[in-house]
Amino acid sequence: QVQLVESGGGLVQPGGSLRLSCTASGSMFGSYTIAWYRQPPGKQRRYVAISNADGSANIANSVKGRFTISRDNALNTVYLQMINLEPDDTAVYYCNMFPDLGPWGQGTQVTVSS
């Protein structure tokens, strides 16, 4: 089973940028569809972006134009590039397989605040 580990979060000012990484252990990473999700404080976890195994991507409307997702199968990594960050982007960000979820990892905290 693929194990996924998130990294790259931190504290950033409004308007700033971050790139999150989701690195997998295990084989056949390129055959998996991987999604980024986020859970703001006190709210439900929702998807924000999907990297399909065929190389295509889907971005949630709430972040379209500011977030992009990409993958490097040679490094077993999916990236979430976030620009023009807003306070409402504050959340714990997770990656997981899509649509059939695997175990949730620890996530990486993103805090957007001045």
Side-chain angles (χ1 to χ4, degrees):
Q1 189 174 18
V2 174
Q3 302 281 340
L4 302 171
V5 177
E6 306 92 346
S7 63
L11 173 64
V12 63
Q13 291 186 341
S17 302
L18 278 176
R19 188 178 78 161
L20 307 183
S21 298
C22 170
T23 302
S25 61
S27 60
M28 300 181 66
F29 173 78
S31 65
Y32 291 104
T33 292
I34 303 291
W36 279 99
Y37 304 79
R38 68 183 182 184
Q39 186 167 20
K43 297 184 179 180
Q44 287 187 326
R45 183 158 40 201
R46 297 185 183 276
Y47 103 95
V48 293
I50 299 171
S51 174
N52 296 300
D54 65 2
S56 62
N58 300 90
I59 306 295
N61 287 336
S62 60
V63 299
K64 195 167 289 185
R66 299 189 299 117
F67 289 15
T68 56
I69 190 170
S70 60
R71 65 194 297 159
D72 186 333
N73 290 332
L75 296 179
N76 279 13
T77 300
V78 173
Y79 302 101
L80 184 68
Q81 179 70 52
M82 307 183 293
I83 65 172
N84 295 331
L85 283 161
E86 304 167 353
D88 284 349
D89 295 318
T90 295
V92 180
Y93 285 71
Y94 303 86
C95 59
N96 207 324
M97 291 179 283
F98 183 93
D100 299 319
L101 298 172
W104 291 102
Q106 295 292 315
T108 187
Q109 175 72 47
V110 172
T111 302
V112 185
S113 175
S114 56

